[in-house]
Amino acid sequence: MSLPVPARSAAPSPGWSAAHPARAVVDLGAIGHNVGVLRAAAPGAELMAVVKADAYGHGLLPVARAALAAGATWLGAAQLAEALELRAGLDAGAPAGAARPRILTWIFAPGAPLERALAADLDLSASAPWAVAEIAAAARATGRTARVHLKVDTGMGRGGARPEAFGDLVDAALAAQAEGAVRVVGVWSHLACADEPENPATARQVEVFTAAVAQAERAGARPEVRHLAASSGTLLHPATHFDLVRPGIAVYGLTPAPAVASSRTLGLRPAMRLEARLTVVKPAPAGTPLSYGHTAVTTADTHLGVVPLGYGDGIPRAASDAGPVMVAGRRYHVAGRVCMDQVVVDLGPEGADVAVGDTAVLFGDGAGGGPTADDWAGVVGTINYEIVTRLGCRVPRVYAGGTGSEDA
Ligand SMILES: *Cc1c(COP(=O)(O)O)cnc(C)c1O
C-alpha cells in the first residue's frame, strides 16, 4: 500500500461548532418561502403552521417565528407541553404589547394542567365530553373563557368523536358555553388519505365533516374556524380548505405525497441540510472489511471517509450499506453498518482529493444532485417526515437565511 495520505484541511468555516463536527442547517428563508407557497394554494383560508415535535426536528422557536413572519396566523403543537413551551418562548422574545398568535393544541390526558393552558391563552381541542368538563373546570378556576375546537372523527379512526357521538360532545360544549366557561370557536377533523388524490375517502370525509359542522350550528354553535386540511389537503384538495389549513411537512419544504409530486414540482424548498465534517480520511486496500459485522468489503484500493453521525443522532440503522452521502460533489452511500456515532463512506479512487475536515452532506435541498430526505426515506422504507423528525437532539441546529438568524 502506498496511497498518499491526504493533507489536513483548513479549520471549519464559521457556523460550525468547534466541538461538534456535525450540524443541521435550517434555512429560515425556505420556511418563509414555503409558507408563501401554501398561502397561495389556499388563498381563502388562514394558515396554521404545525410545529409539533420540535418543528419536525427543525427547532421550535426559530421555525415558529419564521412562519409567523411569512403570514401564518396560527401555530399548531400536538402535545400540550410543547404548546406551553411555544407560548413561553414566543412571549419571551416579543416586544411588549405585540399581538399573540393563536396556538392550538390537541393531545392531553385527564388531569393535564389545563389552567396553565388557559393562562397561556392556548386554544384547546376536545374529542369527548370528559375533555370539555376538564376544560370548563379549568376555566371556572381561572376566571377565563376557554376557546375550544370540537374534533369529529370523519374517517381517520384516531382522535375525535365518532359522528354518532358528536352530538353529545356538542351538547356538553354548548352547556359549558351557556355558563360562560368555554366558547366553541372551532370544529375540526383530520384526513387519512389525502396524499392519494384518487382515494374516495377524502370526499367522504369532507361530507361527514360538512354534516358535523351543520349539526353543531343547528345546535347553536357559531365556530369561527372549520378546519380539515394538513399539507396534502392544502396542496391537493381545495375542497378541504374551509377557513383554516394546518400544513406541517410542506412548511419544511418536503412533499407530503412523493408518489404524486416532488418538493420541486410543488415549488417547495427543503429547509434542512444535514451535514458533517469528515473526522477520518485514510487509504485502504482492496479487501478491507468495513464497520460492525463486516457487511461491506472494499473491492479496490480506495480511500475511506468517516462521517460523525450515527443512529444516536437519528440516522436509521436500516440505512446501513445504502444511505446516500455527498462528498466533494460526488454521491456515495454508507458502506457497512450505521454505528451509534459514525458511518463509513468508501470514497473510491477520487477520495485521494478528499481531506479530513471536508463536508459530507447526508441530505439537503437536492441542488447539484445532492441527496434528499426523500432519498433517505426511500432507502429505509419510510416517509420523509420520519427522516427529519427523528434527527436527534445531539445534532446542533444552525439557522440561516432569516431575520435574527444565528448564522450558518
Ligand atoms: C401533524 C398534523 C398536521 C400536519 O400534517 P402534515 O401532513 O405534516 O401537513 C395537521 N393536523 C394534525 C391534527 C396533525 O396531527
Side-chain angles (χ1 to χ4, degrees), residues 52-124:
K52 61 192 181 186
D54 198 30
Y56 291 46
H58 293 63
L60 177 65
L61 291 171
V63 167
R65 292 194 191 102
L68 292 170
T73 47
W74 291 70
L75 298 169
Q79 291 279 2
L80 174 57
E82 55 190 348
L84 290 169
E85 181 188 345
L86 175 60
R87 177 67 84 200
L90 289 177
D91 281 355
R100 283 170 132 187
R102 298 281 286 273
I103 298 175
L104 174 66
T105 183
W106 55 91
I107 299 182
F108 52 89
L114 297 181
E115 294 178 23
R116 281 178 60 203
L118 299 185
D121 206 23
L122 305 180
D123 283 56
L124 295 167

Side-chain angles (χ1 to χ4, degrees), residues 50 52 56 106 151 158 188 190 230-231 246-249 385:
V50 175
K52 61 192 181 186
Y56 291 46
W106 55 91
K151 188 164 193 186
R158 191 177 65 177
W188 75 302
H190 192 56
S231 294
R246 306 187 310 267
I249 197 72
Y385 295 68

